[in-house]
Amino acid sequence: MSPITREDIGEIAVLSCDYPPVNALSHAVRKGYIDHLDAIRSDDAIKAVVVRCEGRTFHAGADITEFGKPPQEPHLPDVVMALETFPKPLVAAIHGTALGGGLEIALGCHYRIADPSAKVGLPEVHLGILPGAGGTQRLPRLAGVENALDAILSGRHVKMKEAAAWGVVDRLAGDDLKADAVAYAKEVVASGPRPTGDIELDGAKYDEAFFANFRKSIARKTRGFFAPEQCIRCVEAAVSLPLVEGLKKERQYFTECMQNPEAAAMRHLFFAERQVARVPGITKETKRRDIKKVGIIGAGTMGGGIAMNFANVGIPVTVLELNQEALDRGLGVCRKNWERSSRLTADDVAERVKYLSGTTNYEDLADCDLVIEAVFEKMEIKEQVFKKLDEVLKPGAIMASNTSYLDVDAIAAYTSRPSDVLGLHFFSPANVMKLLEIVRGKETADDVLATCLDMAKKIGKVGVVAGVCHGFIGNRMLSGYGREANLNVMKGAMPQDVDKAIFDFGMPMGPLTMADMAGLDIGYFNRQSMDRNSFDTRATDWLDRLVEGDRKGLKVGKGIYDYAEGSRAPVPSPEVEAIILEESAKLGLERTSISAEEIVERSIYALINEGAHILDEGIALRASDIDVVYVYGYGFPRYRGGPMHYADAVGLDKVYARLQEFASIDPDNWKISPLLKRLAEEGSSFAAFDQSR
Ligand code: CAA
């Protein structure tokens, strides 16, 4: 049965699509449209048509599950064209989120009415493609070139107030969208069809300089991506060509996007992000605890940032510090961060501040449902905090540690209720970064985990479940990545060579610039308390020498790089280069030139290999979870889909062969994951591994 049904109300045919969950424009839906239009075309009793959807939303786009499969007719652009050229007026009735192909269907209709709470958007760029069913040609005609570029390049969901101001919809509905749409259809019978494609744009206004400026304005954000440039080219075509010619260009650029690895990578992430919430043992039926009040221990950068997340969504949050001065300072920083946000009005800030309070007294946290500790990373301090929390918190309260490395099971054991304890590892700045590692201890109760997974979504985070180990998923993988970067410097590359190669690969910055930003002394002190046999000192002795020479990083104006006063821009340092040469010589290493390709392979393959160990040990549930961690927590380029997807794209056989070469030189550093070896030898992939479980 077709997912589209027809109901005639007098002279108006109402086409309703019912294809849960989001009325995606699958083959059956597209065919349904063509069949109904054919029937209505010759039905003289029908004078106009309403196009609408049942359920939670108007069409949320093309059916992403069909991407990568052989396309089936009718194609979406043909459906939209069939709508636009239909001889009787068509009214789209929009509710929920009309996205991608959904909005393109609405743009193909001649008139649009919407529920005031609806949103529209062309999010294709987030899937590595472009609106390929006429969106790049019709939206500029209807909304104006600037607004269309904004919508297409940002992919954002545009609220109805703004969309109406752009002219995307003609009318806002009252309480009954369907009835209002039918009434509107009756009105427009007299006006007849009004094809969006007939609107002419003022080509002269949008010249080369206009587009050059636009390209410049988004260059930083879109570095390395393929689809954004293709989107801009389409809009240029909309401005300079008639609709039919513009549509041909759109098809050409769309096909190029589909064939680019970026599309597969971004699609992988779309589904990966939705998979993370699927956790063995947790179902819809798993009980949840109420989170009505939250406590945060520590008003430092991390504690304050975490607190902001809860106040942002109207959950009262109390921050605890040991002295009033530190507390005031911490709460003041939260306020300033909100005030600095261009997206918030003074009223928005006041609203948030209302939910934020402070205390120096643990007893004030007694009625919290969830308390997150964000104090100094030392086990003795965590012990004190958790013993105290165990004493004061009400039964059933969830106790979480924001530790980045420490043993969550050991922390839980400081309490009399380890099943209420887990790790909630936020990433800095915690009010901005979307990743939350949810660390499931061996005794963490299912309802505690389920509650925190839901809570992550509520505060706008992507929550990824990790098992207990040193550094969990993300930080554990970093160790090899950093080691290889540092070793490359000893073996022949200069810091700027390493950083440039990794930056060009797509990371937000190179590992050595990042080390300077974090402060070289942090790693230094960490190493002082470690057994020197437990890590490769060749990678770190040169860094120790920098710290001992007072080159602690950006905060003191010199580290691996020099920094001009007041500047954050790293400048290669002749002093450091001399130290590097001396230290290499001391190690007896013969410096050779290392290509950018090898620099990338060493660091990124180290990530992949550790990721495979983590997967094999069950610390991560899926390879795709690891990808989500790296994209959202570490800025791994989205267009590469995360380290594990990237490994699949390169080919595990190739990655494995290279790992073997590295292991033959440095066997202690390169313990190849047995899982990776097996998948490579079977000609398999991490994606296939995920699917098989
Ligand atoms: N195709 C197929 N399935 C889709 C889908 C789509 N376009 N959009 C969402 N789904 C599925 C999700 O995978 C999810 O499935 P499961 O329940 O099996 O996991 C289900 O619908 C619900 O999705 P969410 O969990 O994301 O629900 P939400 O309420 O949080 O969000 C939404 C709803 C805003 C529509 C969100 O799903 C979304 O942003 N979807 C993608 C929209 C999009 O990118 N559309 C453009 C598609 S490309 C296009 O249209 C190309 C073109 O022009 C030719």
Side-chain angles (χ1 to χ4, degrees), residues 21-22 24-25 56-57 60-65 67 76 97 99-102 104 123-124 127 129-133 157 251 254 270-271 274 278 457:
V22 294
L25 289 150
R56 62 207 259 202
T57 181
D63 189 340
I64 302 171
T65 60
F67 289 9
L76 192 54
T97 40
L99 301 175
E104 289 170 308
E124 284 85 346
L127 294 167
I129 55 172
L130 54 82
H157 297 183
R251 187 86 324 234
F254 178 81
F270 177 86
F271 289 113
R274 282 158 180 79
R278 303 211 164 109
K457 202 164 178 193

Short mmCIF file of all heavy atoms in Angstrom, two decimals, residues 21-22 24-25 56-57 60-65 67 76 97 99-102 104 123-124 127 129-133 157 251 254 270-271 274 278 457, ligand 1:
data_model
loop_
_atom_site.label_atom_id
_atom_site.label_comp_id
_atom_site.label_asym_id
_atom_site.label_seq_id
_atom_site.Cartn_x
_atom_site.Cartn_y
_atom_site.Cartn_z
N PRO A 21 9.65 6.74 10.68
CA PRO A 21 9.42 7.70 11.75
C PRO A 21 9.37 9.16 11.29
O PRO A 21 8.78 9.99 11.97
CB PRO A 21 10.64 7.48 12.67
CG PRO A 21 11.71 6.95 11.76
CD PRO A 21 11.02 6.19 10.68
N VAL A 22 9.99 9.48 10.12
CA VAL A 22 10.12 10.92 9.80
C VAL A 22 9.65 11.25 8.38
O VAL A 22 10.00 12.27 7.83
CB VAL A 22 11.59 11.40 10.01
CG1 VAL A 22 11.99 11.34 11.47
CG2 VAL A 22 12.58 10.64 9.14
N ALA A 24 10.49 10.07 5.58
CA ALA A 24 11.60 10.20 4.62
C ALA A 24 11.09 9.86 3.22
O ALA A 24 10.18 9.03 3.05
CB ALA A 24 12.74 9.27 5.01
N LEU A 25 11.68 10.50 2.21
CA LEU A 25 11.17 10.39 0.84
C LEU A 25 11.72 9.13 0.16
O LEU A 25 12.52 9.22 -0.79
CB LEU A 25 11.52 11.66 0.07
CG LEU A 25 10.69 12.86 0.55
CD1 LEU A 25 11.47 14.16 0.38
CD2 LEU A 25 9.37 12.92 -0.20
N ARG A 56 5.02 12.90 13.32
CA ARG A 56 5.73 13.97 14.01
C ARG A 56 6.23 15.08 13.11
O ARG A 56 6.55 16.16 13.57
CB ARG A 56 6.90 13.38 14.81
CG ARG A 56 7.94 12.69 13.96
CD ARG A 56 8.65 11.63 14.75
NE ARG A 56 9.95 12.10 15.22
CZ ARG A 56 10.95 11.29 15.57
NH1 ARG A 56 10.77 9.98 15.53
NH2 ARG A 56 12.08 11.76 15.96
N THR A 57 6.32 14.82 11.81
CA THR A 57 6.96 15.84 10.96
C THR A 57 6.56 15.75 9.49
O THR A 57 6.18 14.67 9.01
CB THR A 57 8.50 15.72 11.08
OG1 THR A 57 9.10 16.72 10.27
CG2 THR A 57 9.03 14.36 10.64
N ALA A 60 11.26 14.71 6.44
CA ALA A 60 12.54 15.19 7.00
C ALA A 60 13.67 15.01 6.01
O ALA A 60 14.83 15.15 6.37
CB ALA A 60 12.84 14.47 8.29
N GLY A 61 13.34 14.66 4.76
CA GLY A 61 14.40 14.59 3.75
C GLY A 61 14.34 13.33 2.92
O GLY A 61 13.43 12.49 3.08
N ALA A 62 15.32 13.22 2.01
CA ALA A 62 15.46 11.99 1.24
C ALA A 62 15.71 10.85 2.23
O ALA A 62 16.10 11.09 3.37
CB ALA A 62 16.63 12.14 0.29
N ASP A 63 15.47 9.62 1.78
CA ASP A 63 15.68 8.47 2.66
C ASP A 63 17.17 8.12 2.65
O ASP A 63 17.67 7.56 1.68
CB ASP A 63 14.84 7.29 2.17
CG ASP A 63 14.85 6.16 3.17
OD1 ASP A 63 15.77 6.13 4.03
OD2 ASP A 63 13.95 5.30 3.11
N ILE A 64 17.83 8.46 3.76
CA ILE A 64 19.29 8.31 3.80
C ILE A 64 19.70 6.84 3.70
O ILE A 64 20.78 6.52 3.21
CB ILE A 64 19.85 8.96 5.08
CG1 ILE A 64 19.46 10.45 5.12
CG2 ILE A 64 21.36 8.84 5.16
CD1 ILE A 64 19.78 11.14 6.42
N THR A 65 18.79 5.95 4.11
CA THR A 65 19.15 4.53 4.04
C THR A 65 19.23 4.05 2.59
O THR A 65 19.78 2.99 2.31
CB THR A 65 18.14 3.65 4.80
OG1 THR A 65 16.86 3.85 4.21
CG2 THR A 65 18.08 4.00 6.27
N PHE A 67 20.76 5.82 0.24
CA PHE A 67 21.99 6.35 -0.36
C PHE A 67 23.00 5.21 -0.51
O PHE A 67 23.11 4.35 0.34
CB PHE A 67 22.62 7.44 0.52
CG PHE A 67 21.86 8.74 0.55
CD1 PHE A 67 20.60 8.85 -0.01
CD2 PHE A 67 22.41 9.86 1.16
CE1 PHE A 67 19.89 10.04 0.03
CE2 PHE A 67 21.71 11.06 1.21
CZ PHE A 67 20.46 11.14 0.65
N LEU A 76 13.89 12.00 -6.91
CA LEU A 76 13.30 13.13 -6.18
C LEU A 76 13.22 14.42 -7.03
O LEU A 76 12.18 15.09 -7.02
CB LEU A 76 14.08 13.36 -4.88
CG LEU A 76 13.43 14.30 -3.88
CD1 LEU A 76 12.01 13.88 -3.53
CD2 LEU A 76 14.28 14.38 -2.61
N THR A 97 9.73 19.23 11.10
CA THR A 97 10.95 19.72 10.45
C THR A 97 10.94 19.33 8.97
O THR A 97 11.06 18.16 8.65
CB THR A 97 12.19 19.09 11.12
OG1 THR A 97 11.90 17.72 11.42
CG2 THR A 97 12.61 19.80 12.38
N LEU A 99 12.97 19.17 6.11
CA LEU A 99 14.41 19.27 5.88
C LEU A 99 14.79 18.64 4.54
O LEU A 99 14.16 17.69 4.09
CB LEU A 99 15.16 18.53 7.00
CG LEU A 99 14.90 19.03 8.41
CD1 LEU A 99 15.61 18.12 9.43
CD2 LEU A 99 15.37 20.46 8.58
N GLY A 100 15.85 19.16 3.97
CA GLY A 100 16.41 18.58 2.75
C GLY A 100 15.34 18.40 1.68
O GLY A 100 14.61 19.34 1.35
N GLY A 101 15.24 17.16 1.19
CA GLY A 101 14.23 16.86 0.17
C GLY A 101 12.83 17.25 0.62
O GLY A 101 11.98 17.56 -0.21
N GLY A 102 12.59 17.27 1.92
CA GLY A 102 11.28 17.68 2.45
C GLY A 102 11.01 19.14 2.11
O GLY A 102 9.93 19.49 1.60
N GLU A 104 12.50 20.72 -0.20
CA GLU A 104 12.47 20.82 -1.67
C GLU A 104 11.08 20.46 -2.23
O GLU A 104 10.61 21.07 -3.18
CB GLU A 104 13.56 19.92 -2.27
CG GLU A 104 14.95 20.51 -1.99
CD GLU A 104 16.09 19.58 -2.35
OE1 GLU A 104 16.06 18.42 -1.89
OE2 GLU A 104 17.00 20.00 -3.07
N PRO A 123 19.88 20.57 5.32
CA PRO A 123 21.05 20.11 6.07
C PRO A 123 21.98 19.20 5.28
O PRO A 123 22.87 18.58 5.86
CB PRO A 123 20.42 19.34 7.24
CG PRO A 123 19.14 18.83 6.68
CD PRO A 123 18.68 19.78 5.63
N GLU A 124 21.79 19.10 3.96
CA GLU A 124 22.57 18.13 3.17
C GLU A 124 24.07 18.26 3.36
O GLU A 124 24.80 17.28 3.30
CB GLU A 124 22.22 18.26 1.69
CG GLU A 124 20.88 17.66 1.30
CD GLU A 124 19.72 18.61 1.51
OE1 GLU A 124 19.90 19.64 2.19
OE2 GLU A 124 18.64 18.33 0.99
N LEU A 127 25.71 15.97 5.40
CA LEU A 127 25.83 14.61 4.88
C LEU A 127 26.84 14.57 3.74
O LEU A 127 26.92 13.59 2.99
CB LEU A 127 24.46 14.11 4.39
CG LEU A 127 23.40 13.92 5.48
CD1 LEU A 127 22.03 13.74 4.87
CD2 LEU A 127 23.74 12.72 6.37
N ILE A 129 26.79 16.26 1.04
CA ILE A 129 26.18 16.42 -0.29
C ILE A 129 25.56 17.81 -0.39
O ILE A 129 25.82 18.67 0.46
CB ILE A 129 25.14 15.32 -0.58
CG1 ILE A 129 24.08 15.28 0.52
CG2 ILE A 129 25.82 13.97 -0.73
CD1 ILE A 129 22.91 14.34 0.21
N LEU A 130 24.73 18.02 -1.38
CA LEU A 130 24.04 19.31 -1.52
C LEU A 130 22.58 19.03 -1.81
O LEU A 130 22.21 17.92 -2.19
CB LEU A 130 24.71 20.14 -2.62
CG LEU A 130 24.88 19.53 -4.00
CD1 LEU A 130 23.63 19.62 -4.85
CD2 LEU A 130 26.03 20.26 -4.71
N PRO A 131 21.73 20.05 -1.60
CA PRO A 131 20.29 19.84 -1.87
C PRO A 131 20.11 19.57 -3.35
O PRO A 131 20.17 20.49 -4.16
CB PRO A 131 19.65 21.16 -1.45
CG PRO A 131 20.68 21.86 -0.62
CD PRO A 131 22.01 21.41 -1.13
N GLY A 132 19.93 18.31 -3.68
CA GLY A 132 20.01 17.90 -5.08
C GLY A 132 18.67 17.77 -5.77
O GLY A 132 18.58 17.23 -6.86
N ALA A 133 17.62 18.25 -5.14
CA ALA A 133 16.31 18.18 -5.80
C ALA A 133 15.79 19.59 -6.02
O ALA A 133 14.62 19.90 -5.79
CB ALA A 133 15.34 17.34 -4.97
N HIS A 157 18.67 24.42 11.12
CA HIS A 157 17.20 24.36 11.09
C HIS A 157 16.69 25.77 11.35
O HIS A 157 16.92 26.33 12.42
CB HIS A 157 16.68 23.41 12.18
CG HIS A 157 17.13 21.98 11.99
ND1 HIS A 157 16.73 20.96 12.80
CD2 HIS A 157 17.93 21.41 11.05
CE1 HIS A 157 17.27 19.82 12.38
NE2 HIS A 157 18.02 20.08 11.33
N ARG A 251 22.70 18.92 -10.58
CA ARG A 251 22.82 17.46 -10.71
C ARG A 251 24.29 17.04 -10.84
O ARG A 251 24.75 16.12 -10.19
CB ARG A 251 21.99 17.01 -11.94
CG ARG A 251 21.85 15.54 -12.15
CD ARG A 251 20.72 14.85 -11.44
NE ARG A 251 20.34 15.28 -10.11
CZ ARG A 251 20.26 14.49 -9.05
NH1 ARG A 251 20.60 13.24 -9.13
NH2 ARG A 251 19.84 14.93 -7.89
N PHE A 254 26.00 17.58 -7.55
CA PHE A 254 25.46 16.61 -6.59
C PHE A 254 26.13 15.24 -6.80
O PHE A 254 26.56 14.59 -5.85
CB PHE A 254 23.94 16.49 -6.77
CG PHE A 254 23.29 15.49 -5.87
CD1 PHE A 254 22.98 15.81 -4.56
CD2 PHE A 254 22.99 14.20 -6.31
CE1 PHE A 254 22.38 14.88 -3.71
CE2 PHE A 254 22.40 13.27 -5.48
CZ PHE A 254 22.09 13.62 -4.17
N PHE A 270 26.34 10.26 10.67
CA PHE A 270 24.91 10.48 10.95
C PHE A 270 24.35 9.27 11.70
O PHE A 270 23.70 9.39 12.73
CB PHE A 270 24.14 10.71 9.64
CG PHE A 270 22.65 10.86 9.82
CD1 PHE A 270 22.11 12.10 10.12
CD2 PHE A 270 21.79 9.77 9.73
CE1 PHE A 270 20.73 12.24 10.31
CE2 PHE A 270 20.43 9.91 9.91
CZ PHE A 270 19.89 11.15 10.20
N PHE A 271 24.64 8.08 11.18
CA PHE A 271 24.10 6.88 11.82
C PHE A 271 24.88 6.54 13.10
O PHE A 271 24.30 6.09 14.08
CB PHE A 271 24.08 5.70 10.84
CG PHE A 271 23.03 5.88 9.77
CD1 PHE A 271 23.37 6.06 8.44
CD2 PHE A 271 21.69 5.92 10.10
CE1 PHE A 271 22.40 6.26 7.45
CE2 PHE A 271 20.70 6.12 9.13
CZ PHE A 271 21.06 6.28 7.79
N ARG A 274 23.57 8.24 16.04
CA ARG A 274 22.29 7.71 16.52
C ARG A 274 22.44 6.32 17.14
O ARG A 274 21.59 5.86 17.87
CB ARG A 274 21.28 7.69 15.37
CG ARG A 274 20.75 9.09 15.15
CD ARG A 274 20.18 9.35 13.79
NE ARG A 274 19.71 10.73 13.73
CZ ARG A 274 20.49 11.79 13.56
NH1 ARG A 274 21.79 11.62 13.40
NH2 ARG A 274 20.00 13.02 13.56
N ARG A 278 22.37 3.16 21.78
CA ARG A 278 21.97 1.74 21.87
C ARG A 278 23.03 1.00 22.67
O ARG A 278 24.13 0.76 22.20
CB ARG A 278 21.84 1.13 20.48
CG ARG A 278 20.85 1.90 19.65
CD ARG A 278 20.13 1.03 18.64
NE ARG A 278 18.96 1.77 18.17
CZ ARG A 278 18.82 2.30 16.95
NH1 ARG A 278 19.73 2.08 16.05
NH2 ARG A 278 17.74 2.99 16.63
N LYS A 457 21.54 13.64 26.29
CA LYS A 457 20.75 14.17 25.18
C LYS A 457 20.07 15.47 25.60
O LYS A 457 20.06 16.46 24.85
CB LYS A 457 19.72 13.13 24.75
CG LYS A 457 19.25 13.36 23.34
CD LYS A 457 18.53 12.19 22.73
CE LYS A 457 18.08 12.61 21.31
NZ LYS A 457 17.16 11.76 20.68
N1 CAA B 1 16.25 9.10 6.13
C1 CAA B 1 16.12 7.92 6.77
N2 CAA B 1 15.99 7.82 8.12
C2 CAA B 1 15.99 8.96 8.83
C3 CAA B 1 16.12 10.22 8.23
C4 CAA B 1 16.24 10.27 6.82
N3 CAA B 1 16.33 11.42 6.14
N4 CAA B 1 16.08 11.17 9.19
C5 CAA B 1 15.93 10.51 10.36
N5 CAA B 1 15.88 9.18 10.14
C6 CAA B 1 15.69 8.13 11.14
C7 CAA B 1 16.84 8.09 12.13
O1 CAA B 1 17.90 7.30 11.65
C8 CAA B 1 16.16 7.49 13.34
O2 CAA B 1 16.05 6.12 13.11
P1 CAA B 1 16.13 5.09 14.33
O3 CAA B 1 14.99 5.48 15.25
O4 CAA B 1 16.00 3.76 13.68
O5 CAA B 1 17.48 5.36 14.94
C9 CAA B 1 14.73 8.06 13.27
O6 CAA B 1 14.56 8.49 11.91
C10 CAA B 1 14.51 9.25 14.18
O7 CAA B 1 15.56 10.18 13.98
P2 CAA B 1 16.24 10.94 15.21
O8 CAA B 1 16.60 9.97 16.27
O9 CAA B 1 17.30 11.78 14.62
O10 CAA B 1 15.02 11.81 15.74
P3 CAA B 1 14.96 13.32 16.21
O11 CAA B 1 13.54 13.58 16.53
O12 CAA B 1 16.02 13.59 17.21
O13 CAA B 1 15.33 14.18 14.90
C11 CAA B 1 15.24 14.89 12.63
C12 CAA B 1 14.49 14.19 13.78
C13 CAA B 1 15.44 16.36 12.94
C14 CAA B 1 14.39 14.75 11.39
C15 CAA B 1 16.63 14.22 12.44
O14 CAA B 1 16.43 12.82 12.31
C16 CAA B 1 17.39 14.67 11.22
O15 CAA B 1 18.03 15.69 11.26
N6 CAA B 1 17.33 13.86 10.15
C17 CAA B 1 18.12 14.10 8.96
C18 CAA B 1 17.53 15.16 8.13
C19 CAA B 1 18.33 15.32 6.88
O16 CAA B 1 19.54 15.35 6.88
N7 CAA B 1 17.60 15.44 5.77
C20 CAA B 1 18.22 15.62 4.51
C21 CAA B 1 18.37 14.30 3.88
S1 CAA B 1 19.32 14.41 2.43
C22 CAA B 1 18.30 14.96 1.25
O17 CAA B 1 17.17 15.26 1.46
C23 CAA B 1 19.01 14.93 -0.09
C24 CAA B 1 18.40 15.62 -1.20
O18 CAA B 1 18.08 16.78 -1.21
C25 CAA B 1 18.32 14.90 -2.48
#
